[in-house]
Structure formats: structure tokens, C-alpha cells
Amino acid sequence: LVAKEQDAINQMIKGVIGEAGFTQLSNYEQTLPQRGTVNELQQRLSYTGAPLSAGQAEQLVQILATNSSPRQGMGDAAAMAAQLLAAIPDGNALRVINAQGPGTAPLTPAAVTQAQSVLSPPQASVLQQMLLQQQAQQQLRQLVAETMNPNPPVAPKGDGKK
């Protein structure tokens, strides 16, 4: 039922903006996580002498979309740890774990390498720092998950007898 209604809405949108406009809208919606990441980079660079241009931003969105990898969500143990850390009065630990919030795409080393063709060296350096930060956050999430579940279940070993 939902899919049928979505198709009807899509047809109405196509009637208003045309097929080409609808294709652009679809592309925009599909790249929202990458746009969130580029927006974060733009914000970081806005305080420097090397702001990101609109053309660079759009090229970077496409590079990130081409090099995207599935986002790894927080497992049950990590989610529980995040809830526990939320109770910490200053919340600093939780901010570190959740720094890559919803609406952003994870960076990949391949995307950062390819982005160097579009970015100036200072801009590429900030993007590299973002990648390193995301990797450190992933390691922290794994450590928290392992700490919350130090003894994961072990599969029984078979002795080959029946």
C-alpha cells in the first residue's frame, strides 16, 4: 500500500517538474548522506583560508557517492553502552562515540584519495583528518561493544563423532 502511494506521489511530482527534474531530485535524495559529510567539511573549512567552493562540494558529493560503503550501525552492546554513557553528566564520552551522526556518510580511504584531485592540499588535509576521526570513532565503538560483552558466545567444537 505504501509503495503504491509512493508511486502515485512520484507520478504527481514528475507531472510538475518533469522527468529530468525528477531524476535530479532522486539523485539529490540518494546522496543526502554524502551531502551531510560534505556540509561538515564545508563547516570545518569555513574557519580557514581555504573554503570549499560550490563546484568542489558537488564534485566531492559524487566522489563520496561513488566510493560509498555500507554504514556500520552500532550493535546492541554498543547502543547499550551509549545509553549508559549518556548518563555521564558532561556527556563528553557520548559525543565522541556519536560524532558521526545521522545524515552523514562514512568516508573511505579510496574516496579521500580520489578527492585530492578536486581539493587543494589544505582542504584534502582536513578531509583526511575527518577520515582518521571516523576510524578512531569506529575503534572506540568496537572497544565499547567488547567491554559491554567481554565473553561473546563461543560455538561448540565438534569432535567429529555422531
Side-chain angles (χ1 to χ4, degrees):
L1 183 61
V2 173
K4 184 177 179 181
E5 288 302 314
Q6 186 62 50
D7 287 341
I9 291 169
N10 288 346
Q11 290 305 319
M12 289 191 307
I13 293 171
K14 285 179 187 178
V16 173
I17 63 175
E19 192 69 40
F22 185 77
T23 300
Q24 286 180 320
L25 176 63
S26 295
N27 180 52
Y28 181 84
E29 289 176 343
Q30 290 171 356
T31 58
L32 280 174
Q34 290 80 15
R35 291 177 189 284
T37 301
V38 171
N39 185 47
E40 182 181 338
L41 177 63
Q42 284 178 311
Q43 288 176 350
R44 290 183 186 200
L45 291 173
S46 69
Y47 302 107
T48 70
L52 204 61
S53 72
Q56 285 176 308
E58 194 55 39
Q59 286 179 301
L60 190 53
V61 165
Q62 297 309 316
I63 288 169
L64 295 179
T66 302
N67 290 285
S68 65
S69 64
R71 180 170 180 168
Q72 296 178 356
M74 288 174 52
D76 292 341
M80 186 181 348
Q83 289 173 352
L84 292 172
L85 290 172
I88 295 174
D90 67 2
N92 284 334
L94 184 62
R95 277 196 293 278
V96 170
I97 290 175
N98 290 325
Q100 181 193 345
T104 61
L107 294 168
T108 63
V112 172
T113 299
Q114 189 176 351
Q116 291 175 2
S117 67
V118 174
L119 303 176
S120 69
Q123 292 169 331
S125 176
V126 172
L127 188 64
Q128 179 68 34
Q129 290 171 3
M130 288 173 61
L131 172 64
L132 294 174
Q133 182 181 9
Q134 284 183 3
Q135 289 171 339
Q137 290 164 354
Q138 179 61 31
Q139 289 175 343
L140 180 58
R141 280 192 291 271
Q142 288 175 319
L143 286 172
V144 169
E146 291 168 5
T147 301
M148 294 305 295
N149 188 11
N151 298 315
V154 178
K157 294 182 180 179
D159 60 1
K161 297 179 183 177
K162 290 191 178 188

